[in-house]
Amino acid sequence: EADSDKKHIARLEKDQTKLKEEAESTKKIISTLETNVTELKKEADSDKKHIARLEKDETKLKEIAESNKKIISRLEIDLTELKEEADSDKKHIARLEKDQTKLKEEAE
């Protein structure tokens, strides 16, 4: 019975050693996972800040685009007015040239 108890104790000690080794391994895995979680949280925070900056930039770009549309619209109006003035000037020049021709003919 003493030999049986010794064998039983030896098995229990062996099992206990294995359990301790498994516990240490599990602790290392947990520590690694906790480190990974911490790093992922930092990356997520950084990503959130980056997204916020991009959204701010997007808003600014939309505002600039709207402003540019207004400027383009005004420039198109100005261009139309200038074309109308140029057409009027061409007609005026044509009349002046016609008048000049008449005056030359009358002078001769």
Side-chain angles (χ1 to χ4, degrees), residues 8-29:
H8 187 70
I9 290 170
R11 272 196 306 274
L12 289 175
E13 287 173 344
K14 188 177 176 183
D15 290 347
Q16 186 180 25
T17 301
K18 283 183 182 178
L19 289 172
K20 284 181 182 178
E21 290 171 357
E22 287 178 13
E24 282 301 312
S25 176
T26 301
K27 284 180 185 177
K28 288 178 184 175
I29 292 169

Side-chain angles (χ1 to χ4, degrees), residues 47-58:
D47 288 348
K48 286 178 186 176
K49 289 176 184 174
H50 191 188
I51 288 168
R53 282 192 300 271
L54 290 174
E55 288 173 342
K56 188 176 177 183
D57 290 348
E58 180 184 25

Side-chain angles (χ1 to χ4, degrees), residues 51-106:
I51 288 168
R53 282 192 300 271
L54 290 174
E55 288 173 342
K56 188 176 177 183
D57 290 348
E58 180 184 25
T59 300
K60 286 181 183 176
L61 289 173
K62 285 180 179 177
E63 290 170 358
I64 290 169
E66 279 302 311
S67 175
N68 286 344
K69 286 179 184 177
K70 291 175 183 175
I71 291 169
I72 289 168
S73 178
R74 282 194 300 269
L75 290 173
E76 288 173 340
I77 290 169
D78 291 347
L79 179 62
T80 301
E81 289 174 358
L82 288 172
K83 285 180 179 178
E84 290 171 357
E85 286 178 25
D87 287 344
S88 175
D89 289 348
K90 285 179 187 176
K91 290 176 184 175
H92 187 79
I93 290 169
R95 278 193 302 274
L96 290 173
E97 288 174 344
K98 187 177 177 183
D99 291 346
Q100 186 180 25
T101 303
K102 283 184 184 179
L103 289 172
K104 282 183 182 177
E105 289 173 357
E106 289 176 4

